[in-house]
């Protein structure tokens, strides 16, 4: 599993000088976040200082982590770069494609069967290009990363929104799309808007039923699901230092639910203990030598309001356990108010299922605290009222807690242990119910609880709490029960109360595992063949996109003039299409099928200028492609907002669309278009959108002198012979113009590698 000690040494060797230079340049003490960000600027970017929330900056992350669903296209694209190996240490984790139906062993073997071609591809491509491969059953990406790769002061990007989990061990860890992962693995810089900073000061010390989960449940209630947008949340204060490293991981993980770019804690004795406990004493020693740079400056923490954009203070002495939900993770209820909220809102009081574990809450500490409650079901003669599932986050944790008897404790009260995978957290779960139309309640220790997330049923009211609170509710079976204060009648007719949960941060006998599920890559991957069945419907090797022809582009048909909102979901729908995310041609059959045609207000119905008939957008574009005719897509404001999905840029490129002309772009989508060698243009005069008619053809003029900051012209040929010439703007810099000319950024890297 080999963490890369040399890479960590390199980071630490520049940490001090970069911090010093940044202090001097900014003229102020630094937060921990700023120290890490300045340490990871590219050489060119390091010459400047940056305004938070304004400047876009080039970073050089240390690591890339990918989950199996999003890794497919990232790696297919990476293969185009022509590199023999990834530019930075990278790993793939097989966790999202495993369905939880019966129990760990059966579900795992079904998943291996059903996803064989995807796993074979990921294993072979990892082997070839120097990427660590974590097999199905090894665990959930973020837990495995925390146990093996996260390190204080590092910077990582991951193709999953809960990548920030590694912030628990002091890493700036940010969730991205596959295109970004591909760039960093290919050796390109990674761009991020310099984030704003939110400081959360934790004072006091938790006790009793309160756990780290309650900190983030409380923070979510304060900041709401949008409050962290564009910001990194930095936790500090004596309360922060009292939390275990895995507890900090829980807080950072669920920080994704407030929209934060990421969350982070400083390095402390708990981080050191966790590094040593997970057999990374060398990293702890290295970190100890630079520890003054692995936390914010004392002046910052003494007067945080001077240095953060927003400061929140939470007293852990008085923090109550929380239950958040239903339908949103920011509806926060202290446990003392929850029963009343359930009654007043008419939420179903009967609890049907409780689920613990996931990447968010499956540490040794979590399991032991929950098990201390589960144990009381047996010792106090309580009958478990609701269904109960346990999803371990990794094989390391699963093996260790089984060895120490805790899985047996859960099974003793009727719990079912599921595979070490995402399973029910992402709806990959066979929910048992006699009537799906009935309003019903479930509670999890996961992080997301939007409608339909866990079981696809809009009638399910999902709540979120700590694993020990979930376990107590499972035994009681009633959401109006307060585990801290209320009594229950046991099987002998006696009134009994729960004792407070007790947890163990790190296993007394140490962690153990027989087979962690790791496959190291070949030392020399040149002979390794990447396995893709040419007949596969799920995977397809990519061909490089063709380079620009060197002339103005003329005679383009209008594929669609999209009206109103056109997000990446409208451009490349998710849902059932996700199974094709590794097959560009097949997934292109969803291209723009959600966009509304301006001329008839219908989705997926556009005029085919070759036949005069109306038909689906992808089929129409395939006709143009077959006839060797390019096309243009016209759009409204903020075109391409939403997820950073690279398919939304790759599909039009693949099917022969030459330019996207809109009133304005969502920035990430605009960049994705540029990376794929597409033209992303905006109307200089937004009113010109109204000049576009259904039967128009288009010439894009000025490309032979394509220059940063210099607008282009579009000649619109209307039916009947009239023309309009309009000015269109672009934001291509010199490098991005080279991407356009070469037919895509990866074509440039491949050419450089071939030299
Ligand atoms: S367990 Fe849930 S939150 Fe965690 S990575 Fe899997 S799907 Fe995402």
């Amino acid at each position: 599993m080999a963490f890369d000690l040399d890479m960590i040494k390199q980071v630490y060797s520049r940490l001090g000088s970069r911090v010093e230079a940044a202090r001097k340049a900014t003229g102020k003490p630094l937060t921990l976040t700023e120290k890490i960000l300045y340490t990871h600027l590219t050489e060119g970017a390091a010459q400047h200082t940056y305004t938070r929330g304004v400047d876009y900056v080039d970073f050089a992350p240390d690591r890339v982590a990918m989950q199996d669903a999003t890794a497919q296209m990232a790696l297919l694209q990476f293969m185009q770069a022509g590199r023999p190996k990834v530019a930075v240490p990278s790993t793939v984790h097989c966790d999202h494609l495993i369905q939880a139906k019966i129990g760990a062993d059966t579900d795992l073997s079904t998943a291996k069967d059903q996803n064989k071609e995807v796993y074979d591809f990921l294993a072979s491509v990892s082997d070839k290009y120097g990427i660590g491969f974590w097999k199905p059953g090894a665990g959930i990406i973020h837990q495995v990363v925390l146990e093996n790769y996260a390190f204080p002061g590092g910077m990582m990007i991951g193709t999953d929104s809960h990548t920030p989990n590694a912030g628990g061990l002091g890493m700036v860890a940010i969730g991205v799309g596959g295109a970004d992962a591909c760039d960093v693995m290919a050796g390109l810089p990674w761009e991020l808007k310099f984030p704003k900073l939110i400081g959360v000061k934790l004072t006091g010390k938790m006790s009793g039923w309160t756990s780290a989960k309650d900190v983030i449940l409380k923070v979510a209630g304060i900041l709401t699901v949008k409050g962290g947008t564009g910001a990194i949340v930095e936790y500090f204060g004596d309360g922060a230092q009292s939390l275990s490293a895995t507890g900090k991981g829980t807080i950072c993980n669920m920080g994704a639910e407030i929209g934060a770019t990421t969350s982070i804690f400083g390095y402390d004795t708990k981080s050191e203990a966790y590094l040593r406990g997970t057999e990374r004493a060398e990293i702890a020693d290295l970190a100890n030598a630079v520890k003054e740079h692995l936390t914010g400056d004392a002046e910052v923490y003494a007067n945080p309001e001077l240095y953060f954009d927003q400061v929140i203070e939470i007293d852990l002495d008085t923090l109550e356990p929380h239950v958040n939900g239903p339908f949103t993770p920011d509806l926060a209820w202290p446990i003392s108010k929850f029963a009343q909220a359930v009654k007043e809102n008419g939420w179903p009081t009967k609890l049907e299922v409780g689920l613990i574990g996931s990447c968010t809450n499956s540490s040794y500490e979590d399991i032991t605290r929950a098990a201390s409650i589960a144990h009381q079901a047996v010792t106090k003669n309580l009958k478990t009222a609701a269904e109960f599932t346990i999803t371990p986050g990794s094989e390391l944790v699963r093996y260790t807690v089984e060895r120490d008897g805790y899985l047996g404790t859960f099974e003793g009260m009727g719990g079912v242990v599921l595979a070490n995978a995402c399973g029910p957290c992402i709806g990959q779960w066979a929910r048992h119910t006699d009537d799906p139309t009935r309003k019903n309640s479930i509670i999890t220790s996961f992080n997301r609880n939007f409608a339909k997330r866990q079981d696809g049923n809009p009638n399910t009211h999902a709540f979120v709490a700590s694993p020990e609170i979930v376990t107590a509710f499972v035994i009681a079976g009633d959401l109006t029960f307060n585990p801290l204060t209320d009594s229950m009648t046991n099987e002998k007719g006696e009134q009994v109360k729960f004792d407070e949960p007790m947890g163990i941060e790190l296993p007394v006998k140490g962690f153990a595992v027989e087979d962690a599920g790791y496959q190291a890559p070949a030392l020399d991957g040149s002979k390794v063949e990447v396995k893709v069945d040419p007949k596969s419907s799920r995977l397809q090797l990519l061909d490089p996109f063709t380079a620009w022809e060197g002339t103005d582009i003329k005679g383009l048909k209008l594929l669609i003039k999209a009206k109103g909102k056109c997000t990446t979901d409208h451009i490349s729908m998710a849902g059932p299409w996700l199974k094709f995310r590794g097959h560009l041609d097949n997934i292109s059959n969803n291209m723009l099928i959600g966009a509304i045609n301006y001329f008839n207000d219908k989705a997926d119905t556009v005029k085919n200028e070759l036949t005069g008939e109306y038909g689906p957008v992808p089929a129409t574009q395939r006709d143009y492609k077959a006839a060797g005719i390019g096309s243009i897509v016209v759009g409204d404001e903020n075109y391409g907002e939403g997820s950073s999905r690279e398919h939304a840029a790759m599909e039009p490129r693949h099917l022969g669309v030459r330019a996207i002309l809109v009133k304005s772009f969502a920035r990430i989508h605009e960049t994705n278009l540029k990376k794929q060698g597409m033209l992303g243009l905006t109307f200089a005069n937004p009113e010109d959108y109204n000049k576009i008619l259904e039967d128009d053809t288009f010439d894009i003029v000025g490309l032979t002198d394509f220059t940063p900051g210099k607008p282009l012209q579009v000649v619109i040929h209307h039916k009947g012979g009239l023309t309009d010439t309009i000015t269109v703007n672009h934001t291509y810099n010199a490098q991005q113009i080279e991407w356009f000319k070469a037919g895509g950024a990866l074509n440039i890297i491949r050419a450089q590698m071939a030299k």
Side-chain angles (χ1 to χ4, degrees), residues 95-96 140-142 160 162 358-360 422 425-426 447 453:
D95 54 1
H96 276 62
I140 307 171
I141 174 168
H142 313 304
D160 188 272
H162 293 97
S358 88
C359 67
T360 329
C422 299
C425 178
I426 198 177
N447 41 31
R453 161 103 178 168

Side-chain angles (χ1 to χ4, degrees), residues 388-440:
F388 189 38
T389 72
I390 302 96
T391 307
S394 72
E395 179 59 11
L396 183 77
V397 165
R398 193 210 64 77
Y399 188 95
T400 308
V401 296
E402 183 178 49
R403 177 200 66 188
D404 295 349
Y406 298 112
L407 291 188
T409 305
F410 292 131
E411 282 161 350
M413 63 165 277
V416 176
V417 179
L418 301 173
N420 312 322
C422 299
C425 178
I426 198 177
Q428 306 261 42
W429 172 44
R431 169 88 196 270
H432 311 124
T433 176
D434 51 355
D435 178 9
T437 63
R438 183 184 59 233
K439 274 171 61 173
N440 70 93

Side-chain angles (χ1 to χ4, degrees), residues 198-206 210-220 222 233-244 247-252 263-266 268 301 304 308 311-319:
I198 298 174
V200 179
K201 182 175 184 181
L202 300 179
T203 58
K205 198 168 189 302
M206 296 181 310
T210 305
S211 73
K213 183 75 161 194
D214 301 307
V215 175
I216 186 61
L217 293 174
K218 170 90 181 168
V219 169
I222 296 169
V233 182
E234 181 171 325
Y235 290 83
F236 61 94
D238 57 341
Q241 295 182 11
S242 71
L243 299 173
S244 66
K248 292 174 175 124
T250 295
I251 293 169
C252 294
S263 304
I264 192 165
F265 281 82
D268 58 25
Y301 293 158
F308 289 96
V311 178
I312 292 167
E313 190 164 334
I314 296 174
D315 177 6
L316 300 183
D317 285 332
T318 57
L319 180 67

Side-chain angles (χ1 to χ4, degrees), residues 190-210:
W190 176 64
E191 196 191 54
L192 176 75
K193 192 194 264 188
F194 206 87
K196 294 191 171 191
L197 299 179
I198 298 174
V200 179
K201 182 175 184 181
L202 300 179
T203 58
K205 198 168 189 302
M206 296 181 310
S207 61
W209 285 85
T210 305

